[in-house]
Amino acid sequence: MNHYDLIVIGGGSAGYAGARTASDLGKSVAVIDGAGELGGLCILRGCMPSKTLIYSAEILHMSRQAHRFGLHIPEAETDFKALQARKQEIIREFQEYREGQLEDERFKLYRKQARFSGELEVTLDDGTTLSAEKVLVATGSKVASPPVPGLDKITTLSSDDILDLDQQLESILVLGGGIVACELAQFLLRTGTRTTLIQRSPHILKSWNPEISGTIEQTFRDEGMEVFTGTSNLQLMQMEGRSTVTFEQDGQQITRDAAHVLNALGRKPATEHLNLEDAGVNLLPSGHIATSCHQQTSNPNIYAAGDCAGPHEIVHVAILQGECAANHAFGKEAAPMDYDPLLLVLFTDPQAAVVGLQEPQLKERGIPFLKESYPFDDH
């Protein structure tokens, strides 16, 4: 049996950060990643490809508004195959760099799937067994399918599918109102797709300050998107290749249909295959791995970082968690994770960013606060 100081399950941003940190401390490290491509969510199917496409859509939108700036641009349209080629070119550099980092001599890389076969023992899908002094679980997340009536009976698109589009969609129903839903809905709208966004909460971006979410909502509507918030009793069905959604808003029943449905209702931890019970690792009701402020699980020798641990699906958080976990695991002083000063950025147009606790969170905690605003229209 091969033995290491640290086994890292998952080679994304959190896993690599933990592996690198442990290696810098002089520890032997094995990284296990059985995904078809190395790189992790941010590089392959998250931040980098989405922002690449969103920026292209913004340029397209501005070109169509050229007359406002004294410019004459007769025609502007989307070439989806060219969009994809540019996206692949941009992310390939980052992906190859990450592959090189994982494949260098600092780590032993296993391109396999792994599951716990003991408290500090993992078995790969080829039967190889590994053991370690410490283990870091960083298996990321996958698209969630909440219990919406009819959702499991229709064909839906995920954010992965939208980021790989090589042709324009005629129409789409976007389910959800979080960051991913908002960014991709505006991208689709601006590239020519009739877009309807449906959100259960009173506003999109429900945890953000109302002034921000209200401004983004109004922008969407001004650009031609249908936005429904405060909905209930949502039901989905599919007939003759089209999807229909029925829901209630302000006591009225509303029906909309489209050629496609984007499930942007969130993601869930990718932990089912790990056999965490045999490792003595507990889960939260949300399905995330329960961790301390140093990313330590209910098994003190096992840590978790990134999307599988939560509470935020942000690459910079994942990196900090991986570093914190590795330092704490091997006795180096590590500052506990503190999410109160978190920075969040929304890459819609207009863009928005917030730092620290927002108004809904302050109210929830009963923290007194002062509120001031200043209009930036005149700048």
Side-chain angles (χ1 to χ4, degrees):
M1 182 187 301
N2 295 321
H3 186 81
Y4 299 90
D5 294 319
L6 176 67
I7 290 175
V8 179
I9 307 177
S13 296
Y16 172 70
R20 170 182 49 76
T21 303
S23 177
D24 289 345
L25 295 174
K27 304 302 178 181
S28 60
V29 181
V31 178
I32 306 169
D33 193 315
E37 297 177 285
L38 289 175
L41 179 66
C42 175
I43 295 175
L44 299 175
R45 299 178 303 281
C47 322
M48 295 184 183
S50 65
K51 277 52 183 180
T52 301
L53 297 178
I54 287 167
Y55 185 55
S56 293
E58 183 177 347
I59 294 173
L60 176 66
H61 177 73
M62 293 296 288
S63 69
R64 288 171 172 168
Q65 305 294 315
H67 62 280
R68 297 174 52 196
F69 304 96
L71 303 174
H72 178 60
I73 300 177
E75 187 176 0
E77 59 184 22
T78 308
D79 181 340
F80 276 90
K81 287 184 169 53
L83 277 185
Q84 285 299 322
R86 177 174 180 267
K87 182 201 79 174
Q88 291 297 341
E89 181 182 355
I90 287 174
I91 69 174
R92 186 181 300 115
E93 179 182 352
F94 293 97
Q95 181 187 4
E96 290 175 350
Y97 182 60
R98 176 55 51 81
E99 285 179 344
Q101 290 174 318
L102 290 170
E103 290 172 348
D104 71 19
E105 60 186 15
R106 290 176 298 168
F107 320 119
K108 174 62 177 177
L109 177 64
Y110 293 88
R111 299 290 279 113
K112 302 292 181 183
Q113 298 291 341
R115 64 194 302 272
F116 282 97
S117 48
E119 287 200 359
L120 288 170
E121 179 183 283
V122 299
T123 298
L124 309 185
D125 51 12
D126 65 356
T128 302
T129 301
L130 312 176
S131 63
E133 300 299 315
K134 309 286 182 180
V135 177
L136 172 62
V137 179
T139 48
S141 62
K142 59 183 183 179
V143 175
S145 294
V148 175
L151 183 62
D152 59 343
K153 294 180 173 60
I154 69 169
T155 301
T156 61
L157 300 177
S158 68
S159 57
D160 294 358
D161 299 316
I162 301 301
L163 297 179
D164 285 340
L165 281 182
D166 61 1
Q167 61 182 342
Q168 181 181 315
L169 302 182
E170 177 259 317
S171 56
I172 196 163
L173 303 168
V174 179
L175 306 181
I179 290 177
V180 172
C182 289
E183 291 180 351
L184 295 186
Q186 191 176 42
F187 163 75
L188 289 163
L189 179 74
R190 287 183 165 185
T191 53
T193 300
R194 179 169 61 83
T195 304
T196 302
L197 186 148
I198 303 166
Q199 165 74 335
R200 183 174 58 182
S201 301
H203 294 284
I204 62 173
L205 304 166
K206 62 181 179 181
S207 63
W208 290 54
N209 292 338
E211 290 84 355
I212 296 175
S213 57
T215 298
I216 303 300
E217 275 182 36
Q218 190 56 52
T219 298
F220 286 176
R221 292 188 174 105
D222 291 344
E223 291 187 7
M225 186 188 304
E226 271 200 304
V227 180
F228 295 97
T229 58
T231 65
S232 61
N233 297 326
L234 190 109
Q235 297 185 56
L236 292 154
M237 62 181 297
Q238 197 164 35
M239 292 182 62
E240 298 179 356
R242 293 186 70 84
S243 297
T244 301
V245 59
T246 302
F247 55 90
E248 293 180 8
Q249 183 189 54
D250 298 330
Q252 292 185 321
Q253 182 167 298
I254 300 171
T255 299
R256 291 292 183 272
D257 79 314
H260 302 277
V261 173
L262 168 59
N263 175 7
L265 294 169
R267 300 180 68 87
K268 63 179 182 179
T271 59
E272 296 97 329
H273 64 286
L274 291 174
N275 192 30
L276 292 172
E277 301 83 3
D278 278 12
V281 174
N282 295 335
L283 299 179
L284 297 171
S286 64
H288 292 91
I289 298 174
T291 60
S292 70
C293 59
H294 289 103
Q295 303 307 124
Q296 199 168 24
T297 73
S298 50
N299 181 332
N301 293 310
I302 297 178
Y303 292 74
D307 289 3
C308 66
H312 301 285
E313 296 167 356
I314 302 173
V315 64
H316 307 95
V317 170
I319 292 169
L320 283 174
Q321 288 178 339
E323 293 172 345
C324 175
N327 281 321
H328 187 268
F330 295 108
K332 186 175 180 181
E333 185 176 353
M337 296 298 299
D338 177 12
Y339 303 107
D340 283 0
L342 183 68
L343 166 66
L344 294 172
V345 182
L346 176 71
F347 285 89
T348 53
D349 179 18
Q351 297 177 354
V354 293
V355 180
L357 297 175
Q358 299 177 65
E359 187 176 338
Q361 296 162 318
L362 291 166
K363 289 179 177 177
E364 184 179 329
R365 294 195 194 181
I367 299 174
F369 63 93
L370 294 175
K371 178 178 176 180
E372 297 289 346
S373 65
Y374 185 85
F376 278 77
D377 310 47
D378 55 351
H379 277 249

